[in-house]
Amino acid sequence: MNLYPYEKEHIARIRALAPECMVLLKTNGAFPLKAPGRLALYGSGARRTLKGGTGSGDVNVRAFTTIEQGLRAAGFTITTDAWLDAYDAVWQKARAAFTAGIKARIAAGDPDGFMLALGAVMPEPDYDLPLDGEGDAAVYVLSRVCGEGDDRHAVPGDFELTPTEIRDILSLQAKYPRFLLALNVGGPVDLTPVADKVDNILLVSQLGMTIGDSFADVLLGKAYPSGKLASTWAAWADYCHIGDFAEMDETRYREGVYVGYRYFDSVGKTPLFPFGYGLGYTTFELAVNRIELDSSFVSVEATVTNTGRRPGREVAQLYVSVPQGKLDQPFQTLAAFEKTDELLPGESENVLLGFDLRDIASFDNETACEILEAGQYALRLGVSSRDTTVVGAIEIGKTVIARQLSHIGGEPDFVDWKPEAVPCAPLPEGLPVLSLDTDAFDPAPLPGAPEISEEAKAIAAGLTDEELAYLCVGDYRETGSDSFVGSAGMQVMGAAGDSCSRYPDKGIPSLVMADGPAGLRLDRQYGEDEQGRYSIQPSLFELVKDFLPDEMVNTMHLNDVKAERHGVIHDQYCTAIPVGTALAQSWNPEVCRACGDIVGEEMERFGVHLWLAPALNIHRSPLCGRNFEYYSEDPLVSGRAAAAITDGVQSHPGRGVTIKHYACNNQETNRLRNNSVMSERTLREIYLRGFRIAVENGDPRAVMTSYNLLNGEHTSHREDLVETALRGEWGFDGLVMTDWVVAFMAGAAHKYPAACASGTIKAGNDVFMPGSPVDHADLMNALNNGEARYPLTRAHLEKCAARLIDLALLLREQAE
């Protein structure tokens, strides 16, 4: 396979970075292996390795290495070809039955059948195959696929292990002195039946196109895992089940701020593997050197020492226990973290962990303020949420206001749940206690909404109402866009869509948008002849036609022979980077920044202006089908990862990211019309905080609103989310667009309608994507129409169009 030089460079970089995203969950010292040898390889992910999840975030790579291929390339002799071949036959048979079942549901009139065809995940099949391989060691690769359009289920073969998997894993553990359970998954799996019986467990995750080679490097000790869990792994029964999940119309977030480790730590439940946990091929010790308070900034310096026999990297984590007061508080909250450089055996490094006290403030609904209540704030240093030690405290003598805000998001129809208050243990004697000077402490100023450039406003003012309306919807063919996942683009083949390309003569550039967040989603190749560019890749509809009844296939003309075109074929091979959760597991912003740099370089190469990523919704439930695209259950980890990858992409002139999905998009079930019901405190402290961090530290060029509603109104229709919080409180100065809202996706009738173009523009959401004649007509009908559901004035259209023009001019200027 002849690779372009950029492909070779990007593959090499991903291969080197990927081990930082792997998490060693258990070890008895049997790995790494000293040399390649005879290896017994089993499991669903051995040959059918997953580089990532499914849906719009998939990357159409030239090729990627499976774990089997990576091990063979590293010199291993695989002794289980017969088992792998037999498993393939079992999988194919199960797949045929699964496909037939979905086809029957659609034929029977299931109104959500097409979305089911896009996102449904086949559970792992049971089988009875002899474990007759042999070798110096054995590896069982457990795999789980999930993706856009469907949530996971707490059943065997999905979130839980199958009886077959349990049997084989335990049999291999008993048979081989060197046995490794490798997890090729995008999120947690309930390992309860095997976790305490298997000696070596490695969370490989889904690492993009070099996953097989990177795994072989770690198995042989050419690289080492240094990741930490970005979400809690536990038995299904132990997760928080206080709030709703995957309800069709209303999903109530009754658990409030007690998400992930905040719940486990506060109620005293012991997970299988806690948030922030991860081992290495070596061991470390942490020691505190000093604690300082400079105005409102807290810094803790610690020494990390490698006490083992191999090189490695450690992540120091600083948590704060906020005192209980008017507001109830989780046991602890992550406030800062730092990853060391590589430390050789015996080597030490000083790390500095710092945060502003304002960033751990809590939202008080009565005053619409973020406040720091009076009391003692214990500082806890450690290497996971369940391995922390109190090292000092900050004393705040009276309650102070950290930020004066406005009410946003609406009101829920319930009061947040809270656990029984845990008595606060007294601070151990001899630890430093530093006092905040409350008299000198002032609320942080809010930046206010940024100005639009005079040039952009002037161009918008010179357009007709109809022209403004065209700018406020995505580019489309007059017959309407036929795509809703990743192929509505008309300038770059396989791109997700474009902004309006009708007015180059008026000095308005068009923006090309490509999906993410595991790399650019483009066609691998396209043709170009005298008529222009054309796609030679199968459409999304063609990719799922095996799930569709024959009548639907014929109606959609999916078997029609396409007219032949004989132009020049061009390549668009893109790099698949690790999925979002894997990047967060690195706990290293530099890894995220490096991956963003790869994406930015390919955006320049292929003519893409906006990447529809990164995605930073919270891992509220381990069953969310799209969690693999997202980073963490913690907003600080999410926000820092998103800001870093933004910095990497936008270091390339004329390229920008689109952080998404803003906000509270935490399930795939009825995602276009589900209502997320939550308190404002929950909204601000958990589900918006990561976005605020990404905006304030990363300066993304665009934000994508989410499909769902928030407390009865679509997020894209909420002026308080878009104008009050995003622009007014955080100072965001870029473009706001919708997710891809297409009537075809709506499926069955539900309680709430889908979002509409007039509602989004009225709220300050600048562009309704991907655009259609219906959307343009909706804007024109709402203009100066007091009877419309969302009446619009010309000022609404001008402001939104001007912001699009402003960004288009900025990116063009940067690229020139």
Side-chain angles (χ1 to χ4, degrees):
M1 183 167 57
N2 295 320
L3 302 176
Y4 292 109
Y6 81 90
E7 290 183 277
K8 294 179 182 178
E9 177 193 346
H10 292 177
I11 288 170
R13 292 177 70 186
I14 293 296
R15 181 172 180 172
L17 292 170
E20 283 206 57
C21 305
M22 298 186 199
V23 185
L24 187 60
L25 298 176
K26 290 190 70 178
T27 179
N28 66 356
F31 296 92
L33 301 175
K34 294 181 179 179
R38 292 167 60 79
L39 183 73
L41 180 64
Y42 301 96
S44 55
R47 181 172 288 175
R48 295 185 174 275
T49 308
L50 299 170
K51 74 180 190 305
T54 64
S56 63
D58 193 13
V59 181
N60 299 317
V61 297
R62 182 199 290 260
F64 74 97
T65 56
T66 67
I67 286 179
E68 179 190 15
Q69 291 169 341
L71 292 172
R72 291 187 191 275
F76 284 95
T77 299
I78 306 300
T79 66
T80 50
D81 286 337
W83 191 97
L84 296 170
D85 292 341
Y87 174 80
D88 278 345
V90 169
W91 189 92
Q92 293 289 358
K93 183 177 179 180
R95 185 69 176 177
F98 180 71
T99 301
I102 292 179
K103 184 180 291 190
R105 286 181 59 178
I106 297 173
D110 188 325
D112 292 316
F114 191 82
M115 286 304 296
L116 186 65
L118 286 174
V121 172
M122 183 184 79
E124 175 64 19
D126 273 318
Y127 48 82
D128 190 10
L129 304 174
L131 302 174
D132 53 4
E134 57 183 29
D136 307 315
V139 173
Y140 187 99
V141 186
L142 183 125
S143 187
R144 289 291 187 270
V145 64
C146 49
E148 183 174 11
D150 192 36
D151 287 313
R152 299 174 66 190
H153 304 278
V155 297
D158 192 343
F159 185 76
E160 298 176 352
L161 301 181
T162 66
T164 298
E165 290 170 332
I166 297 169
R167 179 198 67 204
D168 287 358
I169 290 168
L170 295 181
S171 295
L172 293 169
Q173 170 66 32
K175 180 178 179 179
Y176 287 89
R178 286 192 174 93
F179 169 64
L180 175 68
L181 173 58
L183 306 173
N184 174 216
V185 298
V189 177
D190 187 349
L191 298 177
T192 304
V194 302
D196 63 345
K197 301 177 180 69
V198 175
D199 293 328
N200 297 281
I201 304 176
L202 176 67
L203 172 56
V204 180
S205 199
Q206 295 170 348
L207 301 175
M209 60 196 306
T210 70
I211 180 170
D213 292 323
S214 297
F215 174 74
D217 291 342
V218 167
L219 196 66
L220 289 170
K222 296 179 179 179
Y224 50 83
S226 64
K228 300 279 187 175
L229 290 180
S231 285
T232 305
W233 283 48
W236 171 245
D238 288 338
Y239 282 98
C240 180
H241 299 292
I242 296 162
D244 302 330
F245 177 74
E247 293 295 324
M248 191 58 66
D249 293 316
E250 314 277 0
T251 300
R252 290 177 170 82
Y253 292 51
R254 295 185 186 90
E255 73 280 3
V257 299
Y258 296 93
V259 177
Y261 71 90
R262 289 168 169 82
Y263 170 77
F264 282 92
D265 294 350
S266 299
V267 301
K269 281 188 180 292
T270 302
L272 292 175
F273 303 106
F275 172 81
Y277 172 82
L279 305 173
Y281 285 162
T282 188
T283 55
F284 298 92
E285 286 184 357
L286 271 68
V288 175
N289 297 331
R290 59 183 174 86
I291 299 174
E292 294 182 350
L293 177 62
D294 183 3
S295 184
S296 61
F297 193 83
V298 180
S299 58
V300 175
E301 184 186 77
T303 298
V304 183
T305 302
N306 183 344
T307 58
R309 298 181 178 181
R310 290 180 173 273
R313 304 182 71 171
E314 180 60 288
V315 179
Q317 303 166 38
L318 182 65
Y319 297 79
V320 178
S321 291
V322 177
Q324 306 284 341
K326 176 183 179 182
L327 303 176
D328 57 289
Q329 298 291 347
F331 175 74
Q332 61 184 353
T333 298
L334 182 69
F337 62 89
E338 289 295 331
K339 192 168 190 175
T340 67
D341 293 330
E342 179 176 271
L343 297 178
L344 299 177
E347 192 173 9
S348 298
E349 179 183 338
N350 290 340
V351 295
L352 189 65
L353 301 98
F355 67 96
D356 194 295
L357 285 167
R358 292 180 179 85
D359 291 333
I360 61 166
S362 301
F363 183 78
D364 176 27
N365 192 67
E366 285 188 13
T367 61
C369 292
E370 289 179 343
I371 61 173
L372 291 163
E373 294 197 69
Q376 198 171 78
Y377 291 66
L379 304 175
R380 299 177 176 273
L381 182 67
V383 293
S384 81
S385 69
R386 286 303 177 96
D387 185 2
T388 61
T389 301
V390 177
V391 296
I394 305 298
E395 187 74 36
I396 299 181
K398 66 179 180 180
T399 297
V400 292
I401 296 174
R403 292 182 181 86
Q404 176 65 62
L405 305 171
S406 301
H407 282 298
I408 61 170
E411 295 290 336
D413 55 3
F414 57 86
V415 176
D416 284 349
W417 171 86
K418 59 182 179 182
E420 294 184 13
V422 178
C424 184
L427 195 72
E429 292 186 10
L431 293 181
V433 179
L434 308 178
S435 295
L436 176 70
D437 184 351
T438 55
D439 293 332
F441 185 90
D442 295 318
L446 302 181
E451 291 293 323
I452 305 170
S453 75
E454 294 301 320
E455 181 181 8
K457 288 193 289 188
I459 294 174
L463 299 175
T464 67
D465 292 347
E466 185 175 30
E467 290 170 337
L468 289 171
Y470 275 123
L471 283 175
C472 291
V473 297
D475 225 356
Y476 61 85
R477 304 164 183 85
E478 290 301 327
T479 56
S481 171
D482 63 354
S483 172
F484 52 92
V485 183
S487 56
M490 291 186 281
Q491 300 178 62
V492 175
M493 296 298 96
D498 309 307
S499 69
C500 183
S501 63
R502 297 170 183 264
Y503 309 116
D505 57 325
K506 299 179 185 293
I508 304 174
S510 178
L511 298 176
V512 176
M513 309 168 189
D515 245 320
L520 290 183
R521 181 180 173 88
L522 301 176
D523 286 352
R524 294 182 186 89
Q525 295 179 310
Y526 67 91
E528 187 171 21
D529 59 15
E530 65 279 356
Q531 300 176 52
R533 295 181 177 184
Y534 59 93
S535 177
I536 58 175
Q537 304 295 125
S539 71
L540 181 69
F541 302 105
E542 291 170 314
L543 291 174
V544 300
K545 72 177 183 179
D546 288 346
F547 289 100
L548 306 178
D550 293 341
E551 182 179 351
M552 183 178 290
V553 170
N554 293 331
T555 300
M556 298 174 69
H557 304 287
L558 298 183
N559 283 332
D560 290 0
V561 178
K562 295 181 180 180
E564 288 192 26
R565 295 175 70 172
H566 301 283
V568 178
I569 303 301
H570 300 280
D571 295 333
Q572 289 186 143
Y573 295 122
C574 297
T575 303
I577 63 176
V579 297
T581 301
L583 289 178
Q585 287 166 186
S586 75
W587 287 64
N588 186 354
E590 291 305 318
V591 169
C592 300
R593 189 172 290 109
C595 288
D597 180 51
I598 289 171
V599 173
E601 196 279 332
E602 292 180 359
M603 291 171 71
E604 285 190 274
R605 179 176 298 275
F606 299 122
V608 174
H609 304 104
L610 287 175
W611 186 41
L612 303 181
L616 60 154
N617 295 106
I618 292 295
H619 293 177
R620 175 179 178 246
S621 166
L623 299 186
C624 176
R626 215 166 173 181
N627 271 357
F628 68 95
E629 290 193 9
Y630 310 147
Y631 294 112
S632 175
E633 66 189 28
D634 181 78
L636 176 62
V637 173
S638 299
R640 286 191 63 185
I645 203 166
T646 295
D647 186 52
V649 170
Q650 294 184 175
S651 66
H652 294 265
R655 314 300 143 183
V657 307
T658 308
I659 61 173
K660 64 182 186 183
H661 308 87
Y662 182 71
C664 312
N665 182 68
N666 303 104
Q667 68 179 50
E668 290 297 287
T669 301
N670 191 25
R671 61 183 182 158
L672 264 74
R673 298 179 298 190
N674 186 269
N675 182 28
S676 296
V677 186
M678 69 181 67
S679 70
E680 186 174 357
R681 181 186 178 191
T682 301
L683 173 67
R684 285 188 175 276
E685 292 186 25
I686 303 296
Y687 298 100
L688 292 190
R689 188 182 175 215
F691 285 96
R692 177 171 65 82
I693 292 169
V695 167
E696 293 178 348
N697 295 298
D699 190 24
R701 297 287 177 248
V703 169
M704 178 190 288
T705 50
S706 55
Y707 285 131
N708 56 279
L709 298 89
L710 170 63
N711 291 330
E713 183 59 276
H714 279 282
T715 60
S716 58
H717 291 181
R718 296 203 71 107
E719 185 176 359
D720 53 0
L721 279 187
V722 175
E723 296 288 4
T724 303
L726 180 61
R727 291 193 169 108
E729 294 178 359
W730 308 346
F732 175 69
D733 63 354
L735 180 77
V736 180
M737 70 178 77
T738 67
D739 206 333
W740 267 227
V741 181
V742 180
F744 189 83
M745 297 173 60
H750 294 290
K751 180 176 180 178
Y752 297 102
C756 67
S758 55
T760 62
I761 300 305
K762 185 177 180 64
N765 192 118
D766 305 313
V767 183
F768 191 85
M769 294 298 296
S772 75
V774 172
D775 305 324
H776 184 269
D778 177 49
L779 294 182
M780 296 304 295
N781 177 66
L783 187 62
N784 303 319
N785 179 3
E787 301 300 315
R789 182 183 175 197
Y790 297 99
L792 297 176
T793 65
R794 178 179 169 89
H796 288 115
L797 295 178
E798 272 197 39
K799 181 179 285 188
C800 291
R803 283 192 285 241
L804 170 65
I805 295 167
D806 215 358
L807 179 61
L809 294 177
L810 173 66
L811 295 182
R812 181 176 67 181
E813 178 184 352
Q814 288 180 342
E816 289 176 348

